Structures are given as C-alpha cells and as structure tokens.
Amino acid sequence: MVDEIRQYTLTDCSSLSQLRYTEKVLLESLRMAPALLRGTRLLKTTDGKPTKIGHYILPCNTQVHFSQYLVHHNEEFWKDPHILNPERWNDNFNPEPYTYMPFLAGPRGCLGKHFAMMIMKLTLVSILQKFDLIPRLNKERKPTIDQGMAVMRIRNNVDYELVPV
C-alpha cells in the first residue's frame, strides 16, 4: 500500500480510484475494526405481524441489537475472519448482504460512506507520501478494544513516530 501511495499523483478526487490496493486495505481494516461495534434497529413489518429471523420469532416493534464486530468476525461469513487479508477484496468479491456493514447498511446506512472513504485515502496519501510510520508500542500496555461503547475505542494508545521520507 505504501508503494502504491508513494507512486500516486493526486490530480483530483476522482483519481483516488487509482488507489485500488489502498482501498482493499481500508475495506479490510474496516471489517477487522469497524468504527461502530454494535447497532440497534426497530423491527417493523408492513402487516404488523411477527417475523421469523433464524430460530427466533420477533414481534413487530421489537428493538433488535446487533454487532457489526461479531458479524465481521464470523467464520460462517468470512474465511479466516481474524486475519487481516486485503486480498480477499478482489474484483469478484461481494460480501453477502448485511455481513459487511462498517457504515451500517440498507436504507438507514451512512450517507457519507463514500466521502469517508475519500477522506481516508486523502489522509493516507498526505501522510505516507511524506513520512514513514514507525510503531512505538508499549509492550506492557497492549491496545485493547473498549467494548463498553457503541463506537470502537482503543484503550492504551497505539503510538507511531513520523519519520520524514
């Protein structure tokens, strides 16, 4: 990814689509560590009758809680789900509906997901074309996910040193 970014020349925002491997890394990173750990939706039906989901029958107007993190790490949907593998996002890969939802999904999904992807690419280009990132991890205080929040938050900072290229 770093090589791709360092060879890239930004001409306009549409040229960011040239960063194909960078996009794969971002997609896989969002699968591994979605910004939202869980979500809630109110189950509505057009006829007001209960709905069967898996082995469960849920009445209309039931609050359904779900975890993007757990879905993104479920072996039923993802081969080797705990391994960071940007190559899984090849041109023919299309995850099953609602198995990949870092920006949620469906009609209530994030309107800004394309903008967010563009900003992430621009940020990586701005940093990686000028700096090498050197991890400075504190081995006594390993980063962990704070699961008490709906938004993913890392406990114990992950520090990097920026060294000019």
Side-chain angles (χ1 to χ4, degrees), residues 45-58:
T45 58
T46 55
D47 58 8
K49 293 183 179 176
T51 299
K52 185 174 182 182
I53 299 176
H55 301 291
Y56 303 97
I57 297 175
L58 303 174

Side-chain angles (χ1 to χ4, degrees), residues 111-157:
L111 294 174
K113 67 182 175 184
H114 299 293
F115 179 68
M117 289 294 288
M118 180 184 72
I119 294 299
M120 287 186 279
K121 287 179 188 178
L122 284 170
T123 301
L124 287 171
V125 166
S126 298
I127 294 170
L128 294 176
Q129 284 186 342
K130 297 175 186 164
F131 300 98
D132 283 327
L133 296 175
I134 310 299
R136 300 290 182 224
L137 301 176
N138 182 337
K139 292 187 177 21
E140 288 82 46
R141 294 184 41 156
K142 292 185 178 179
T144 58
I145 298 170
D146 180 353
Q147 300 208 11
M149 305 289 292
V151 176
M152 180 176 278
R153 180 177 276 164
I154 303 293
R155 288 188 194 144
N156 305 333
N157 293 342

